[in-house]
């Protein structure tokens, strides 16, 4: 006699398949096939003459007959398993939620019902690649796109996820630097540098060479950064979710050193033009004589002239300020006019 299927447990499961079903009946020994409708079970095990466990294949929503075939024939087709519609996938989070218009951002997509994912899209564009880590998590590589927001959608055999607020990915254009002011500063760092350009919003890093700087975003076109200590000429870059900017050069300047003043004295009642010698004078921004600004002309990195203003007789400390800082003093002596 052919086998007989009396009942199954459970009697329903998702259309995606994978449900373990216990089939109870008679004459089940020697079963050669178990079918759900016209599809073979993914696997099955005959546990006794009255029981088989089988794993459902994928199917279409609706009822299908469960049959067992053995050398003596095929069972009745009166016991049915009902395929329930598989739930749609849903995207409820992205990390990060923004990236470069050039693509290449690895995004972790979180949500539900991701098993069997066949497609991940950023707007109308397929992800460059994706990996299903679990039913609730996918990693996807963003394709190039235009600046703006697009929904990330996931497609499975059950359908495609709906666009939701948490599913939007923001394409951000790469930052561009156009100017630094000042373009040089002391090797000890600590000076404030104004960076101007475009697409600077949401900056995540400002670097002077390989060294990160403390910075304060001002606007989409400006950032204020504090230069770290350094040496030589380095490149300054800004990083945002849109990528890393072009670079601009920033020069670290050693503090100036004054070694001499000639002549070293002059009348207290008038202006005396002196020659100052030393090192690191090329970027001079000011000369002071006893705290009073003096006119000056830079001749080279080791020589400059300055006009010592009139003042009280006596020793006058002279200092030079450059992009690298302020020098120590050399002494100019104001000579009082002779008394008659």
């Amino acid at each position: 006699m052919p086998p007989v299927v009396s009942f199954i447990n459970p009697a329903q499961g998702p259309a995606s398949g994978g449900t373990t079903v216990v089939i109870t009946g008679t004459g089940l020994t020697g079963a050669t096939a178990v079918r759900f409708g016209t599809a073979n079970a993914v696997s099955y095990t005959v546990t006794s003459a009255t029981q088989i466990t089988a794993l459902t294949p994928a199917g279409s929503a609706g009822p299908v007959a469960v049959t067992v075939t053995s050398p003596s024939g095929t069972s009745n087709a009166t016991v049915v398993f009902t395929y329930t519609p598989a739930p749609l996938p849903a995207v409820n989070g992205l990390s990060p939620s923004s990236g470069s218009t050039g693509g290449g951002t690895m995004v972790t997509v979180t949500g539900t019902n991701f098993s069997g994912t066949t497609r991940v899209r950023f707007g109308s564009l397929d992800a460059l690649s994706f990996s299903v880590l679990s039913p609730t998590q996918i990693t996807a590589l963003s394709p190039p796109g235009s600046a703006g927001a697009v929904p990330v959608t996931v497609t499975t055999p059950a359908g495609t996820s709906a666009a939701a607020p948490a599913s939007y990915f923001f394409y951000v254009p790469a930052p561009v630097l156009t100017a630094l002011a000042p373009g040089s500063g002391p090797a000890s760092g600590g000076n404030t540098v104004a960076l101007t350009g475009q697409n600077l919003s949401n900056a995540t890093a400002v670097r002077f060479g390989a060294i990160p700087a403390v910075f304060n975003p001002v606007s989409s076109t400006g950032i204020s950064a504090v230069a770290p200590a350094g040496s030589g000429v380095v490149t300054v870059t800004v990083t945002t979710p849109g990528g890393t900017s072009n670079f601009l050069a920033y020069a670290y300047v050693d503090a100036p050193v004054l070694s001499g003043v000639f002549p070293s004295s002059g009348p207290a009642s008038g202006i005396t033009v002196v020659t100052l010698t030393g090192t690191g004078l090329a970027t001079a921004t000011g000369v002071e004589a006893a705290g009073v600004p003096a006119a000056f002309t830079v001749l080279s990195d080791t020589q400059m002239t300055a006009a010592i203003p009139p003042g009280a007789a006596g020793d006058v400390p002279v200092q030079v300020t450059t992009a690298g800082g302020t020098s120590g003093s050399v002494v100019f002596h104001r000579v009082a006019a002779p008394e008659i």
Side-chain angles (χ1 to χ4, degrees):
M1 294 181 60
V4 175
V5 174
S6 302
F7 60 89
I8 60 174
N9 184 42
Q12 66 177 22
S16 57
T19 302
T20 298
V21 177
V22 177
I23 302 169
T24 301
T26 59
L28 304 182
T29 302
T32 57
V34 174
R35 292 185 176 88
F36 289 78
T38 59
N40 287 322
V42 174
S43 63
Y44 67 91
T45 301
V46 179
T47 55
S48 70
T50 60
Q51 199 168 77
I52 293 175
T53 58
L55 192 65
T56 62
S60 299
V64 295
V66 178
T67 58
V68 175
T69 298
S70 72
S72 59
T74 298
S75 70
N76 55 304
T78 56
V79 176
V80 299
F81 178 85
T82 301
Y83 281 112
T84 57
L88 288 173
V91 175
N92 57 33
L94 305 175
S95 180
S97 59
S98 59
S100 171
T101 53
T105 301
M106 185 60 73
V107 179
T108 299
V109 184
T110 55
T112 56
N113 307 315
F114 290 161
S115 295
T117 293
T118 57
R119 194 177 206 181
V120 177
R121 305 192 96 191
F122 287 71
S124 61
L125 302 173
D126 286 332
L128 297 179
S129 63
F130 69 89
S131 297
V132 180
L133 305 182
S134 72
T136 61
Q137 194 170 78
I138 293 172
T139 56
L141 195 63
S142 67
S146 300
V150 297
V152 174
T153 57
V154 173
T155 299
T156 70
T160 299
S161 63
S167 70
Y168 275 83
F169 180 82
F170 293 83
Y171 277 108
V172 181
V176 176
L177 282 180
T178 56
L180 302 177
S184 59
S188 59
N191 59 310
T192 299
V193 180
L195 287 64
T196 55
Q198 299 173 347
N199 309 320
L200 304 182
S201 297
N202 301 314
T204 56
V206 174
R207 288 185 172 84
F208 285 65
I211 303 174
V214 175
F215 67 95
N216 180 39
V218 176
S219 68
S220 64
T221 59
I223 291 176
S224 175
V226 178
S231 61
V233 178
V234 299
T235 58
V236 178
T237 58
V238 174
T239 300
T240 73
T244 297
S245 71
N246 59 304
F247 64 82
L248 295 179
Y250 178 85
Y252 283 105
V253 181
D254 290 329
V257 175
L258 282 181
S259 56
V261 54
F262 181 81
S264 60
S265 63
S269 58
I271 294 174
T272 302
V273 177
V274 299
T275 298
L276 300 173
T277 55
T279 57
L281 307 181
T283 61
T285 57
V287 175
E288 290 187 351
V292 178
F296 67 92
T297 300
V298 176
L299 303 178
S300 70
D301 192 55
T302 60
Q303 196 172 75
M304 63 191 299
T305 60
I308 305 299
D315 289 341
V316 179
V318 180
Q319 292 178 302
V320 174
T321 297
T322 71
T326 299
S327 71
S329 300
V330 291
V331 177
F332 174 82
H333 185 75
R334 288 195 186 110
V335 180
E339 295 183 3
I340 299 175

